[in-house]
């Protein structure tokens, strides 16, 4: 009824409210449907961390399958304190990879459980890659660096509550 009583306004036309009290979650009448995130680089870093977790999980699955099949992809490690046969490593990497890929997908969807799971899985992956150093040293170091970034990005990201002013 209020729309019909106002002259010059057509019924059903979209109106953008540019006032600071606007309807958009940006607080300035913007069009964004997602709440802003605090933390500067971490806000975009969490999306990148989600992609990295997804890709890292898929690569860990491939790494595990290659180790399980016992082909010549990996050299045989020497005598180490943490010696596990290559098939055992394959199963560990396969399971962690599947769970990491699922968590990475959850991070990209914005699931709260996925952030905590991602931090735990990246920490586990970091330790596993350290223990896998004798089999693939360069690859393990690269994945350790990726895991450190993922842990950082997920730990510092703090989404802004929808009702809270930024």
């Amino acid at each position: 009824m209020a729309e019909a009583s106002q002259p010059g306004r057509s019924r059903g036309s979209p109106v953008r409210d540019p006032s600071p009290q606007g309807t958009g979650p940006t607080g300035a009448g913007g069009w964004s449907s997602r709440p802003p995130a605090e933390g500067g680089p971490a806000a975009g870093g969490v999306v990148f961390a989600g992609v990295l977790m997804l890709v890292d999980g898929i690569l860990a699955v491939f790494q595990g399958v290659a180790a399980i099949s016992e082909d010549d992809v990996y050299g045989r490690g020497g005598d180490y304190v943490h010696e596990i046969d290559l098939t055992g490593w394959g199963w560990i990497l396969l399971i962690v990879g599947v769970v990491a890929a699922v968590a990475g997908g959850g991070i990209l969807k914005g699931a709260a459980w996925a952030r905590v799971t991602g931090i735990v899985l990246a920490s586990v992956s970091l330790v596993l890659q350290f223990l896998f150093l004798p089999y693939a040293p360069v690859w393990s170091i690269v994945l350790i660096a990726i895991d450190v970034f993922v842990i950082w990005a997920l730990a510092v990201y703090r989404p802004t509550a929808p009702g809270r002013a930024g």
Side-chain angles (χ1 to χ4, degrees):
M1 287 283 199
E3 286 182 14
S5 65
Q6 293 179 356
R9 182 178 267 194
S10 63
R11 185 174 277 225
S13 64
V15 176
R16 181 173 184 268
D17 183 8
S19 69
Q21 296 83 22
T23 58
T26 60
W31 296 101
S32 175
S33 63
R34 303 186 91 190
E38 297 175 5
V46 77
V47 173
F48 189 53
V51 170
L52 284 177
M53 287 253 341
L54 182 64
V55 171
D56 189 25
I58 292 168
L59 290 175
V61 167
F62 290 145
Q63 190 178 9
V65 168
I68 291 169
S69 67
E70 294 187 22
D71 57 8
D72 295 331
V73 172
Y74 301 112
R76 301 290 177 209
D79 291 331
Y80 292 94
V81 175
H82 55 271
E83 188 174 337
I84 298 177
D85 72 329
L86 204 50
T87 303
W89 274 119
W91 284 107
I92 291 170
L93 291 171
L94 182 70
I95 292 167
V96 170
V98 168
V99 177
V102 170
I107 290 168
L108 291 175
K109 289 183 178 182
W113 62 267
R115 250 184 71 228
V116 175
T117 305
I119 291 171
V120 170
L121 282 173
S123 301
V124 168
S125 174
L126 190 145
V127 171
L128 289 175
Q129 292 301 328
F130 175 77
L131 296 174
F132 200 72
L133 272 167
Y135 297 102
V138 174
W139 180 253
S140 293
I141 289 172
V142 168
L143 288 180
I144 287 170
I146 289 172
D147 289 334
V148 167
F149 172 78
V150 168
I151 292 167
W152 170 81
L154 295 177
V156 300
Y157 178 70
R158 300 283 182 258
T160 302
R164 199 171 109 192

Short mmCIF file of all heavy atoms in Angstrom, two decimals, residues 35-75:
data_model
loop_
_atom_site.label_atom_id
_atom_site.label_comp_id
_atom_site.label_asym_id
_atom_site.label_seq_id
_atom_site.Cartn_x
_atom_site.Cartn_y
_atom_site.Cartn_z
N PRO A 35 28.88 -11.55 3.65
CA PRO A 35 29.39 -10.60 4.63
C PRO A 35 30.87 -10.34 4.40
O PRO A 35 31.60 -11.20 3.94
CB PRO A 35 29.15 -11.30 5.98
CG PRO A 35 29.03 -12.73 5.64
CD PRO A 35 28.50 -12.81 4.24
N PRO A 36 31.32 -9.11 4.71
CA PRO A 36 32.74 -8.82 4.55
C PRO A 36 33.55 -9.58 5.58
O PRO A 36 33.04 -9.98 6.61
CB PRO A 36 32.82 -7.31 4.81
CG PRO A 36 31.64 -7.01 5.67
CD PRO A 36 30.57 -7.98 5.25
N ALA A 37 34.81 -9.78 5.31
CA ALA A 37 35.68 -10.51 6.22
C ALA A 37 36.77 -9.59 6.73
O ALA A 37 37.25 -8.73 6.02
CB ALA A 37 36.30 -11.70 5.51
N GLU A 38 37.13 -9.78 7.98
CA GLU A 38 38.23 -9.03 8.54
C GLU A 38 39.53 -9.76 8.25
O GLU A 38 39.54 -10.92 7.90
CB GLU A 38 38.06 -8.93 10.06
CG GLU A 38 36.82 -8.18 10.46
CD GLU A 38 36.62 -8.19 11.97
OE1 GLU A 38 37.49 -8.70 12.68
OE2 GLU A 38 35.59 -7.70 12.41
N GLY A 39 40.64 -9.09 8.40
CA GLY A 39 41.92 -9.76 8.31
C GLY A 39 42.71 -9.44 7.06
O GLY A 39 43.73 -10.05 6.83
N GLY A 40 42.28 -8.51 6.24
CA GLY A 40 43.05 -8.11 5.07
C GLY A 40 43.36 -9.27 4.14
O GLY A 40 42.46 -9.86 3.57
N PRO A 41 44.65 -9.61 4.02
CA PRO A 41 45.03 -10.67 3.09
C PRO A 41 44.44 -12.03 3.45
O PRO A 41 44.27 -12.88 2.59
CB PRO A 41 46.55 -10.72 3.16
CG PRO A 41 46.99 -9.63 4.05
CD PRO A 41 45.80 -9.01 4.66
N ALA A 42 44.13 -12.24 4.70
CA ALA A 42 43.58 -13.54 5.11
C ALA A 42 42.19 -13.76 4.55
O ALA A 42 41.78 -14.90 4.34
CB ALA A 42 43.56 -13.65 6.62
N ALA A 43 41.44 -12.67 4.29
CA ALA A 43 40.09 -12.81 3.75
C ALA A 43 40.13 -13.50 2.39
O ALA A 43 39.37 -14.41 2.12
CB ALA A 43 39.42 -11.45 3.65
N GLY A 44 41.03 -13.07 1.51
CA GLY A 44 41.19 -13.74 0.23
C GLY A 44 42.01 -14.99 0.36
O GLY A 44 41.87 -15.92 -0.43
N GLY A 45 42.87 -15.02 1.37
CA GLY A 45 43.73 -16.17 1.59
C GLY A 45 42.96 -17.41 1.97
O GLY A 45 43.39 -18.53 1.68
N VAL A 46 41.80 -17.25 2.60
CA VAL A 46 41.03 -18.42 3.02
C VAL A 46 40.43 -19.12 1.79
O VAL A 46 40.34 -20.34 1.76
CB VAL A 46 39.96 -18.04 4.07
CG1 VAL A 46 38.76 -17.36 3.46
CG2 VAL A 46 39.52 -19.26 4.83
N VAL A 47 40.07 -18.36 0.78
CA VAL A 47 39.60 -18.99 -0.46
C VAL A 47 40.75 -19.73 -1.13
O VAL A 47 40.60 -20.87 -1.58
CB VAL A 47 39.00 -17.93 -1.41
CG1 VAL A 47 38.66 -18.53 -2.76
CG2 VAL A 47 37.78 -17.28 -0.79
N PHE A 48 41.90 -19.08 -1.18
CA PHE A 48 43.08 -19.72 -1.76
C PHE A 48 43.46 -20.96 -0.95
O PHE A 48 43.83 -21.99 -1.51
CB PHE A 48 44.24 -18.73 -1.81
CG PHE A 48 45.44 -19.21 -2.57
CD1 PHE A 48 45.33 -19.69 -3.85
CD2 PHE A 48 46.69 -19.18 -1.98
CE1 PHE A 48 46.44 -20.14 -4.55
CE2 PHE A 48 47.81 -19.62 -2.67
CZ PHE A 48 47.68 -20.11 -3.96
N ALA A 49 43.35 -20.88 0.38
CA ALA A 49 43.64 -22.04 1.24
C ALA A 49 42.67 -23.17 0.96
O ALA A 49 43.05 -24.34 0.95
CB ALA A 49 43.58 -21.63 2.71
N GLY A 50 41.40 -22.85 0.72
CA GLY A 50 40.42 -23.88 0.38
C GLY A 50 40.76 -24.57 -0.94
O GLY A 50 40.68 -25.80 -1.04
N VAL A 51 41.17 -23.78 -1.92
CA VAL A 51 41.58 -24.36 -3.21
C VAL A 51 42.82 -25.22 -3.01
O VAL A 51 42.92 -26.34 -3.54
CB VAL A 51 41.82 -23.25 -4.25
CG1 VAL A 51 42.46 -23.81 -5.51
CG2 VAL A 51 40.53 -22.54 -4.59
N LEU A 52 43.79 -24.71 -2.24
CA LEU A 52 45.00 -25.48 -1.99
C LEU A 52 44.71 -26.79 -1.27
O LEU A 52 45.29 -27.82 -1.58
CB LEU A 52 46.01 -24.66 -1.19
CG LEU A 52 46.78 -23.59 -1.94
CD1 LEU A 52 47.69 -22.82 -0.99
CD2 LEU A 52 47.60 -24.19 -3.07
N MET A 53 43.79 -26.74 -0.29
CA MET A 53 43.43 -27.97 0.43
C MET A 53 42.77 -28.97 -0.51
O MET A 53 43.05 -30.17 -0.45
CB MET A 53 42.47 -27.67 1.59
CG MET A 53 43.10 -27.00 2.73
SD MET A 53 43.38 -27.94 4.22
CE MET A 53 42.39 -29.33 4.21
N LEU A 54 41.90 -28.49 -1.37
CA LEU A 54 41.23 -29.37 -2.32
C LEU A 54 42.25 -30.01 -3.27
O LEU A 54 42.27 -31.23 -3.44
CB LEU A 54 40.18 -28.58 -3.11
CG LEU A 54 39.35 -29.34 -4.12
CD1 LEU A 54 38.49 -30.38 -3.41
CD2 LEU A 54 38.48 -28.38 -4.90
N VAL A 55 43.12 -29.19 -3.84
CA VAL A 55 44.13 -29.71 -4.77
C VAL A 55 45.15 -30.58 -4.02
O VAL A 55 45.54 -31.64 -4.52
CB VAL A 55 44.83 -28.54 -5.50
CG1 VAL A 55 46.02 -29.01 -6.30
CG2 VAL A 55 43.84 -27.83 -6.40
N ASP A 56 45.57 -30.15 -2.84
CA ASP A 56 46.51 -30.93 -2.04
C ASP A 56 45.93 -32.30 -1.69
O ASP A 56 46.63 -33.31 -1.72
CB ASP A 56 46.87 -30.16 -0.77
CG ASP A 56 48.01 -30.78 0.02
OD1 ASP A 56 48.83 -31.48 -0.59
OD2 ASP A 56 48.07 -30.55 1.24
N GLY A 57 44.64 -32.34 -1.38
CA GLY A 57 43.98 -33.61 -1.09
C GLY A 57 43.96 -34.53 -2.30
O GLY A 57 44.25 -35.72 -2.19
N ILE A 58 43.64 -33.96 -3.45
CA ILE A 58 43.62 -34.77 -4.68
C ILE A 58 45.02 -35.28 -5.01
O ILE A 58 45.21 -36.45 -5.37
CB ILE A 58 43.03 -33.95 -5.85
CG1 ILE A 58 41.54 -33.70 -5.59
CG2 ILE A 58 43.23 -34.67 -7.18
CD1 ILE A 58 40.91 -32.68 -6.51
N LEU A 59 46.02 -34.41 -4.86
CA LEU A 59 47.40 -34.84 -5.12
C LEU A 59 47.86 -35.90 -4.12
O LEU A 59 48.60 -36.82 -4.48
CB LEU A 59 48.34 -33.64 -5.09
CG LEU A 59 48.19 -32.66 -6.26
CD1 LEU A 59 49.08 -31.45 -6.06
CD2 LEU A 59 48.48 -33.33 -7.58
N ALA A 60 47.43 -35.78 -2.86
CA ALA A 60 47.79 -36.79 -1.86
C ALA A 60 47.15 -38.14 -2.21
O ALA A 60 47.75 -39.19 -1.97
CB ALA A 60 47.37 -36.34 -0.47
N VAL A 61 45.94 -38.11 -2.78
CA VAL A 61 45.31 -39.35 -3.22
C VAL A 61 46.15 -39.99 -4.32
O VAL A 61 46.44 -41.20 -4.28
CB VAL A 61 43.86 -39.09 -3.71
CG1 VAL A 61 43.30 -40.29 -4.45
CG2 VAL A 61 42.96 -38.74 -2.53
N PHE A 62 46.58 -39.19 -5.30
CA PHE A 62 47.44 -39.72 -6.36
C PHE A 62 48.77 -40.22 -5.80
O PHE A 62 49.28 -41.27 -6.22
CB PHE A 62 47.71 -38.67 -7.44
CG PHE A 62 46.51 -38.33 -8.27
CD1 PHE A 62 46.30 -37.05 -8.73
CD2 PHE A 62 45.56 -39.30 -8.61
CE1 PHE A 62 45.20 -36.73 -9.51
CE2 PHE A 62 44.45 -38.99 -9.38
CZ PHE A 62 44.27 -37.70 -9.83
N GLN A 63 49.33 -39.48 -4.85
CA GLN A 63 50.58 -39.88 -4.21
C GLN A 63 50.39 -41.21 -3.48
O GLN A 63 51.24 -42.09 -3.55
CB GLN A 63 50.99 -38.77 -3.23
CG GLN A 63 52.37 -38.89 -2.66
CD GLN A 63 52.69 -37.70 -1.74
OE1 GLN A 63 51.84 -36.88 -1.40
NE2 GLN A 63 53.93 -37.63 -1.32
N GLY A 64 49.27 -41.36 -2.80
CA GLY A 64 48.98 -42.61 -2.10
C GLY A 64 48.78 -43.78 -3.04
O GLY A 64 49.28 -44.88 -2.80
N VAL A 65 48.06 -43.55 -4.14
CA VAL A 65 47.84 -44.63 -5.11
C VAL A 65 49.17 -45.07 -5.72
O VAL A 65 49.42 -46.26 -5.89
CB VAL A 65 46.84 -44.17 -6.20
CG1 VAL A 65 46.81 -45.13 -7.37
CG2 VAL A 65 45.45 -44.01 -5.60
N ALA A 66 50.03 -44.10 -6.03
CA ALA A 66 51.34 -44.45 -6.59
C ALA A 66 52.17 -45.25 -5.59
O ALA A 66 52.87 -46.19 -5.98
CB ALA A 66 52.09 -43.19 -7.01
N ALA A 67 52.07 -44.91 -4.31
CA ALA A 67 52.83 -45.65 -3.30
C ALA A 67 52.24 -47.04 -3.07
O ALA A 67 52.97 -48.00 -2.87
CB ALA A 67 52.85 -44.87 -1.99
N ILE A 68 50.91 -47.17 -3.12
CA ILE A 68 50.27 -48.46 -2.92
C ILE A 68 50.60 -49.42 -4.06
O ILE A 68 50.85 -50.61 -3.85
CB ILE A 68 48.73 -48.31 -2.78
CG1 ILE A 68 48.39 -47.61 -1.47
CG2 ILE A 68 48.02 -49.65 -2.86
CD1 ILE A 68 46.95 -47.17 -1.35
N SER A 69 50.64 -48.89 -5.27
CA SER A 69 50.89 -49.75 -6.43
C SER A 69 52.34 -50.24 -6.49
O SER A 69 52.66 -51.10 -7.29
CB SER A 69 50.51 -49.04 -7.72
OG SER A 69 51.39 -47.95 -7.94
N GLU A 70 53.18 -49.68 -5.64
CA GLU A 70 54.59 -50.08 -5.51
C GLU A 70 55.33 -50.07 -6.85
O GLU A 70 56.11 -50.95 -7.16
CB GLU A 70 54.70 -51.46 -4.86
CG GLU A 70 54.23 -51.46 -3.43
CD GLU A 70 54.48 -52.78 -2.74
OE1 GLU A 70 55.35 -53.54 -3.17
OE2 GLU A 70 53.80 -53.03 -1.73
N ASP A 71 55.05 -49.03 -7.65
CA ASP A 71 55.83 -48.90 -8.88
C ASP A 71 57.11 -48.14 -8.59
O ASP A 71 57.49 -47.97 -7.44
CB ASP A 71 54.99 -48.24 -9.98
CG ASP A 71 54.47 -46.87 -9.58
OD1 ASP A 71 54.89 -46.37 -8.51
OD2 ASP A 71 53.67 -46.30 -10.31
N ASP A 72 57.79 -47.71 -9.61
CA ASP A 72 59.09 -47.08 -9.43
C ASP A 72 59.01 -45.55 -9.31
O ASP A 72 59.98 -44.86 -9.61
CB ASP A 72 60.01 -47.45 -10.60
CG ASP A 72 60.32 -48.93 -10.61
OD1 ASP A 72 60.32 -49.53 -9.52
OD2 ASP A 72 60.55 -49.49 -11.70
N VAL A 73 57.87 -45.03 -8.86
CA VAL A 73 57.74 -43.59 -8.70
C VAL A 73 58.62 -43.10 -7.56
O VAL A 73 59.28 -42.07 -7.67
CB VAL A 73 56.27 -43.19 -8.44
CG1 VAL A 73 56.14 -41.73 -8.09
CG2 VAL A 73 55.41 -43.53 -9.64
N TYR A 74 58.68 -43.82 -6.47
CA TYR A 74 59.43 -43.41 -5.31
C TYR A 74 60.66 -44.28 -5.13
O TYR A 74 60.60 -45.50 -5.28
CB TYR A 74 58.58 -43.49 -4.03
CG TYR A 74 57.35 -42.62 -4.11
CD1 TYR A 74 56.09 -43.17 -4.18
CD2 TYR A 74 57.48 -41.24 -4.14
CE1 TYR A 74 54.97 -42.37 -4.27
CE2 TYR A 74 56.36 -40.44 -4.23
CZ TYR A 74 55.11 -41.01 -4.29
OH TYR A 74 54.01 -40.20 -4.39
N GLY A 75 61.76 -43.62 -4.77
CA GLY A 75 62.97 -44.37 -4.45
C GLY A 75 62.83 -44.98 -3.07
O GLY A 75 62.01 -44.54 -2.25
#
